[in-house]
């Protein structure tokens, strides 16, 4: 895909926009003033793959601890300022790497100017982040909103999208008057279709980098579908420079799913194993779901080279579906036949599959690290297991 070229901004050591890789953000879920808990959460998010972490600073006691937090973490920190511009000024003074302002909540031009000037002095960017819940119709802006509304007239909730874009434009006027362009933009809604519509429009109208997200997407089970459908569509069109998936759940899941999304779209080099698994069917030969879940957890803990691992429930379709895997197991008659780089290496009972498979993955990891082999090279064709595997109705 060709990515839309945007301006580039720098958030600590992470570049957003232009030719920079799409970055992953998340936000801590606890109180920022609880320093130990906040630092622990930031470490967990960074370890899961977050490039940037945002913290809320609703009160002075939150900004007061920022220097202490910043001294203990290495990932860039964004201060999320909602209602009081002084929290932004205090956060900038503390040394955060970016400020997020919500135009729906801080609208006073003098206050915004104070934040812009402080960010300019500190050399840090600002995200202008509009949410559907924080835009209100204003009489003096009605004409512009009506113009935009007619533009969106054929879209679902076009008026709401128009109000959000009008709000961003109105805010950008303040920034332009200050000649401040160290900006990224976001416009979040909870409806995936609307998120796609509004970001497509933002991408046409502005060259500032875009922070993609679906707001209040819900728990991971449903929020993941909502988020991935919107963000996946936009990213595959080349739109979006940084993403935040948000769930009503542990934010580590947000990062894990964001990493996987970028991996799936080839927008990020995979760190760690890629797991392929069959959905299972009436030919299943082992307790596949438990095996897959155990393999997934162990791979996450033990493997940090991009080994492709296939776990297949039988030998009927498994070999074809696992083609390209570096390590594969095919279940047969309560056993597992294990292949490494196209070579058959073991045939073990079901209760030994997990250990043996991981053993082979770790061995391969060592060989890759030492330069003795390369991944993908000898992975292509796995010959189906033969006479020692018998499946009822299918003698292989
Ligand atoms: S690999 Fe075998 S068990 Fe799994 S879905 Fe395919 S045919 Fe069914």
């Amino acid at each position: 895909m060709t990515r839309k070229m945007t301006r580039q901004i720098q958030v600590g050591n992470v570049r957003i926009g232009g030719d920079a890789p799409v970055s992953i953000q998340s936000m801590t879920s606890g109180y920022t003033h609880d320093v130990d808990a906040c630092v622990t959460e930031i470490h967990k998010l960074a370890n899961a793959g977050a490039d940037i972490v945002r913290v809320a600073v609703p009160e002075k006691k939150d900004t007061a601890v920022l220097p202490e937090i910043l001294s203990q973490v290495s990932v860039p920190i964004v201060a999320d300022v909602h209602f009081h511009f002084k929290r932004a000024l205090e956060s900038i003074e503390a040394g955060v790497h970016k400020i997020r302002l919500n135009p729906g909540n801080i609208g006073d031009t003098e206050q915004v100017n104070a934040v812009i000037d402080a960010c300019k002095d500190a050399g840090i960017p600002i995200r202008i982040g509009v949410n559907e819940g924080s835009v209100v119709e204003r009489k003096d802006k009605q004409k512009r909103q009506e113009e935009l509304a007619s533009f969106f007239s054929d879209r679902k909730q076009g008026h709401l999208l128009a109000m959000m874009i009008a709000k961003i434009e109105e805010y950008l006027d303040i920034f332009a008057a200050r000649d401040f362009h160290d900006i990224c933009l976001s416009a979040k809604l909870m409806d995936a279709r609307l998120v796609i519509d509004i970001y497509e429009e933002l991408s046409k109208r502005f060259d500032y980098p875009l922070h993609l997200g679906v707001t209040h997407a819900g728990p991971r089970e449903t929020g993941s579908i909502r988020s991935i459908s919107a963000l996946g569509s936009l990213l595959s069109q080349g739109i979006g420079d940084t993403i935040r998936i948000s769930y009503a759940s542990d934010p580590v899941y947000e990062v894990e799913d964001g990493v996987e999304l970028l991996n799936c779209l080839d927008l990020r080099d995979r760190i760690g194993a890629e797991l392929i698994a069959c959905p299972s069917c009436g030919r299943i030969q082992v307790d596949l779901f438990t095996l897959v879940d155990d393999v997934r957890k162990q791979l996450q803990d033990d493997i940090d080279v991009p080994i492709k691992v296939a776990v297949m429930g039988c030998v009927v379709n498994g070999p074809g579906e696992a083609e390209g895997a570096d390590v594969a197991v095919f279940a047969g008659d309560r056993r597992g036949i294990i292949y490494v780089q196209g070579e058959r290496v073991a045939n073990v009972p079901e209760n030994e599959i997990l250990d043996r498979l991981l053993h082979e993955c770790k061995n391969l990891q060592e060989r890759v690290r030492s330069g003795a082999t390369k991944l993908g090279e000898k992975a292509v064709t796995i010959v189906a297991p033969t006479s020692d595997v018998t499946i009822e109705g299918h003698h292989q």
Side-chain angles (χ1 to χ4, degrees), residues 262-308:
L262 296 188
N263 283 159
C264 288
L265 292 173
D266 266 345
L267 287 167
R268 170 176 281 227
D269 289 337
R270 190 174 283 279
I271 302 167
E274 177 177 13
L275 179 58
I276 303 162
C278 84
S280 96
C281 71
R283 300 182 186 95
I284 192 79
Q285 294 291 302
V286 293
D287 176 3
L288 188 87
F289 293 164
T290 305
L291 177 62
V292 168
D293 205 39
D294 290 344
V295 170
R296 182 185 63 80
K297 287 180 192 145
Q298 292 288 332
L299 291 176
Q300 222 167 28
D301 289 346
D302 297 335
I303 303 297
D304 52 22
V305 297
I307 299 174
K308 200 180 262 193

Side-chain angles (χ1 to χ4, degrees), residues 277-285 288 311-319 321 330-331:
C278 84
S280 96
C281 71
R283 300 182 186 95
I284 192 79
Q285 294 291 302
L288 188 87
V311 180
M312 311 309 277
C314 78
V315 294
V316 176
N317 291 334
E321 289 162 2
F330 306 100

Side-chain angles (χ1 to χ4, degrees), residues 96-386:
V96 296
H97 304 96
K98 187 170 85 171
I99 293 290
R100 182 270 170 121
L101 293 182
N102 184 337
N105 297 336
I106 299 178
D108 180 88
T109 303
E110 287 314 306
Q111 294 182 0
V112 178
N113 279 341
V115 178
I116 292 172
D117 291 347
C119 282
K120 211 177 215 181
D121 287 348
I124 64 169
I126 298 175
R127 168 160 69 97
I128 299 174
V130 178
N131 280 5
E132 62 180 314
S134 58
V135 286
V136 285
E137 204 156 0
R138 281 175 45 176
K139 291 248 174 322
D140 56 332
K141 301 291 171 194
Q142 209 166 343
K143 190 161 179 305
R144 181 68 186 129
Q145 286 171 7
E146 278 167 10
E147 275 167 36
L148 284 163
S150 68
F151 181 80
F152 281 116
S153 60
D154 59 336
R155 317 263 186 106
K156 184 176 158 190
Q157 293 200 40
H159 193 64
L160 173 62
L161 302 185
M163 279 203 295
M164 291 174 73
I165 297 223
K167 177 58 80 179
I168 288 177
E169 286 184 338
E170 180 191 330
Y171 222 52
L172 281 173
D173 285 345
I174 305 175
F175 286 70
R178 259 352 206 212
D179 196 23
F180 186 89
H181 301 282
D182 208 2
I183 293 167
C184 85
L185 303 176
S186 69
K188 299 188 185 179
L189 304 101
M190 59 81 70
D191 181 307
R193 183 63 249 176
L194 296 183
V195 169
I196 295 168
D197 282 349
I198 200 160
Y199 276 99
E200 284 175 348
E201 202 50 44
L202 288 177
S203 176
K204 280 185 215 151
R205 285 170 187 266
F206 307 109
D207 66 354
Y208 294 117
L210 297 181
H211 165 124
L212 305 185
V214 175
T215 192
H216 39 276
R220 186 185 197 184
E221 290 75 8
T222 49
S224 56
I225 311 293
R226 202 185 286 281
S227 299
I228 302 300
S229 56
L231 272 50
S233 167
L234 289 163
L235 290 166
S236 60
Q237 295 179 61
I239 297 172
D241 302 282
T242 183
I243 62 168
R244 191 245 171 144
I245 289 176
S246 46
Y247 296 145
S249 190
D250 186 336
V252 166
Y253 296 135
E254 303 176 358
V255 178
E256 287 177 358
D257 292 355
V259 170
E260 193 58 32
L261 173 62
L262 296 188
N263 283 159
C264 288
L265 292 173
D266 266 345
L267 287 167
R268 170 176 281 227
D269 289 337
R270 190 174 283 279
I271 302 167
E274 177 177 13
L275 179 58
I276 303 162
C278 84
S280 96
C281 71
R283 300 182 186 95
I284 192 79
Q285 294 291 302
V286 293
D287 176 3
L288 188 87
F289 293 164
T290 305
L291 177 62
V292 168
D293 205 39
D294 290 344
V295 170
R296 182 185 63 80
K297 287 180 192 145
Q298 292 288 332
L299 291 176
Q300 222 167 28
D301 289 346
D302 297 335
I303 303 297
D304 52 22
V305 297
I307 299 174
K308 200 180 262 193
V309 181
V311 180
M312 311 309 277
C314 78
V315 294
V316 176
N317 291 334
E321 289 162 2
E323 203 160 286
D326 301 292
V327 178
V329 58
F330 306 100
D333 201 13
R334 298 283 153 199
R335 299 187 70 80
I337 300 111
I338 296 174
Y339 280 71
V340 177
Q341 295 191 304
E343 300 286 329
R344 178 177 165 151
V345 297
N347 178 345
V348 294
E350 181 172 2
N351 63 355
E352 293 175 22
I353 294 175
L354 178 65
D355 285 351
R356 184 60 191 259
L357 190 71
L358 287 165
H359 170 78
E360 297 300 339
C361 289
K362 285 185 198 168
N363 270 350
L364 182 58
Q365 174 167 257
E366 285 315 308
R367 296 207 305 279
V368 171
R369 282 185 180 147
S370 70
T373 190
K374 282 189 182 155
L375 294 175
E377 281 196 347
K378 288 185 273 177
V380 195
T381 304
I382 296 164
V383 179
T386 51

